[in-house]
Amino acid sequence: MEKHNFNAGPSILPRIAIENTAKAILDLNGIGMSLLEISHRSKDFQAVIDEAVALFKEVLNIPEGYQVLFLGGGASLQFCMIPFNMLNKKAAYLETGVWAKKAIKEAKLFGEVAVIGSSSDKNFNYIPSGWQIPADADYFHITTNNTIYGTEIREDFDSPVLLVADMSSDILSRPVDVSKYAMIYGGAQKNAGTAGVTFVIVRDDVLGKVDRAIPSMLDYRIHIKEGSMFNTPPCVSIFTLKETLKWVKEMGGVAKMEELAKERAKLLYDAIDTSKMFEGTAVKDARSLMNICFVMKEQYKDKEDAFMELAKTRGMVGIKGHRSVGGFRASTYNALPLSSVQALINCMHEFEAANS
Ligand SMILES: *Cc1c(COP(=O)(O)O)cnc(C)c1O
């Protein structure tokens, strides 16, 4: 049976990126050796990482003065690396979900943290507004897409202080004005590749401003100097990231990714909004194009398990909502075909017809 992969992460990848990774694992570029068994310092791997950096810069239109790093430790390690490298006295954070909360927790180890807006009062189903960024903050941290709750900040706003963004789950889903950010980072495994590599896009001149000593592995300047090879990098994940970027470029770039994302999201949100049994959980003006969260209306709550069962038999994978929201979550990342969204909607209609 055909599977429809709505996993939140690690998640669906372009088939071609998987096939090319598989080939490289058997024999990289016909050199007679596997990607798994060559030195990261070999010219064959250097070409892989160079191409990944070049493609990232090209696809996201990253201006001069920024570095692209591929590190380990996930987005979660960045939660502490960012304040380690950038927080002198005070930082501002927007609390829009569990990932933002985790970032805040780490930052508190390094200085004063001003949480200038929070949507925790409504289980993070909206993006707080009306906040003021304190001019004396070293930086302001946002999470552009809240993977668990299905809310998203989709514009690149001006910030009076350095702007830092966790874009783990919406990177490469729209054109980004990188010049508005001091740093953009994320785990690759949602929309940019597979697990094991973290991308960091950082403006050189924001580093080296803190007084504390920084351990080498946590110092961005060292990773920059060493071209992401201070230690052995996650070679296979970097390869898959490169292949994913190549696919994005060949498909027409991030503008095309945005167009497709809007198409997928509109189809599913329209189905949810016109449904008798289902309803969305995020407020409409904050809805994510990448993670679409919905539940059964109050009077049908007891049917959620039955829907889950039907969905499974129709090939749906990964649609269970995060335990903190419940219900369902369809992650509709770049590589998800529109036909999978349609299959999910067909399944919802089938269930409604049989149960109402
Ligand atoms: C998944 C996710 C993370 C955590 O990423 P790891 O690579 O597992 O550390 C952080 N932020 C957001 C927005 C995420 O979706």
Side-chain angles (χ1 to χ4, degrees):
M1 179 185 32
E2 189 191 349
K3 292 285 164 90
H4 302 286
N5 185 350
F6 294 95
N7 279 327
S11 39
I12 189 164
L13 286 174
R15 190 67 205 170
I16 188 77
I18 297 169
E19 284 171 0
N20 287 344
T21 303
K23 281 185 199 151
I25 283 176
L26 294 174
D27 185 352
L28 178 65
N29 306 330
I31 63 170
M33 274 186 292
S34 165
L35 170 62
L36 300 176
E37 58 182 0
I38 61 165
S39 167
H40 58 294
R41 309 225 178 258
S42 64
K43 71 174 186 350
D44 294 292
F45 186 74
Q46 189 63 52
V48 169
I49 196 163
D50 289 347
E51 192 184 352
V53 170
L55 279 167
F56 224 131
K57 287 185 172 169
E58 182 184 350
V59 163
L60 261 197
N61 198 16
I62 299 173
E64 288 293 307
Y66 286 81
Q67 301 285 342
V68 176
L69 296 174
F70 299 125
L71 308 177
S76 299
L77 183 60
Q78 297 307 307
F79 296 163
C80 96
M81 249 174 107
I82 288 160
F84 220 134
N85 284 265
M86 292 172 65
L87 201 168
N88 250 324
K89 281 211 171 65
K90 175 176 171 179
Y93 277 73
L94 202 59
E95 190 185 54
T96 52
V98 157
W99 297 116
K101 273 172 81 161
K102 289 186 171 174
I104 290 165
K105 176 168 181 256
E106 301 304 304
K108 283 181 174 165
L109 299 171
F110 298 89
E112 183 190 342
V113 173
V115 176
I116 62 171
S118 173
S119 45
S120 71
D121 60 330
K122 296 210 168 119
N123 199 26
F124 302 112
N125 75 351
Y126 67 103
I127 300 289
S129 58
W131 29 266
Q132 291 286 326
I133 305 167
D136 63 342
D138 295 319
Y139 64 84
F140 175 41
H141 179 282
I142 58 172
T143 312
T144 53
N145 187 65
N146 299 284
T147 324
I148 292 172
Y149 314 89
T151 65
E152 189 175 14
I153 299 169
R154 297 188 50 78
E155 78 267 41
D156 308 306
F157 52 81
D158 291 304
S159 164
V161 302
L162 301 178
L163 185 60
V164 175
D166 176 354
M167 293 198 187
S168 291
S169 50
D170 64 352
I171 191 78
L172 305 177
S173 71
R174 66 173 176 94
V176 170
D177 182 352
V178 176
S179 70
K180 306 249 192 206
Y181 300 85
M183 183 184 296
I184 294 170
Y185 70 96
Q189 70 274 16
K190 312 281 167 57
N191 214 16
T194 191
V197 62
T198 311
F199 60 85
V200 173
I201 301 162
V202 59
R203 221 171 71 201
D204 300 284
D205 66 337
V206 308
L207 301 172
K209 303 268 162 66
V210 290
D211 305 324
R212 71 179 65 85
I214 306 171
S216 306
M217 263 303 276
L218 302 182
D219 190 335
Y220 293 115
R221 290 168 307 174
I222 288 186
H223 289 292
I224 290 171
K225 189 163 154 278
E226 300 294 331
S228 297
M229 297 228 217
F230 172 65
N231 71 319
T232 317
C235 299
V236 176
S237 305
I238 292 171
F239 186 94
T240 306
L241 175 88
K242 169 188 74 97
E243 290 299 318
T244 307
L245 286 164
K246 225 161 83 183
W247 175 82
V248 170
K249 181 182 163 186
E250 278 160 17
M251 286 287 289
V254 285
K256 181 68 181 181
M257 292 298 114
E258 182 176 44
E259 190 187 310
L260 295 173
K262 284 182 171 165
E263 221 180 310
R264 286 188 298 268
K266 183 176 182 334
L267 195 62
L268 186 49
Y269 282 126
D270 281 352
I272 292 166
D273 291 340
T274 54
S275 156
K276 276 187 300 236
M277 298 183 100
F278 298 94
E279 61 184 357
T281 54
V283 303
K284 284 192 180 167
D285 67 356
R287 280 174 162 181
S288 168
L289 299 188
M290 295 283 105
N291 309 97
I292 298 176
C293 297
F294 54 104
V295 292
M296 278 186 161
K297 291 179 181 172
E298 205 50 51
Q299 66 269 37
Y300 299 111
K301 273 274 181 251
D302 60 332
K303 297 198 187 296
E304 285 192 344
D305 291 346
F307 177 68
M308 217 43 214
E309 279 308 306
L310 176 74
K312 252 184 230 161
T313 66
R314 298 293 181 262
M316 307 301 140
V317 176
I319 63 162
K320 193 168 175 54
H322 190 273
R323 63 187 179 281
S324 59
V325 178
F328 312 98
R329 167 177 57 179
S331 295
T332 53
Y333 296 125
N334 284 349
L336 186 80
L338 195 64
S339 56
S340 284
V341 176
Q342 192 55 57
L344 174 59
I345 293 169
N346 294 347
C347 187
M348 291 160 71
H349 289 162
E350 181 186 348
F351 188 79
E352 288 186 324
N355 286 278
S356 58

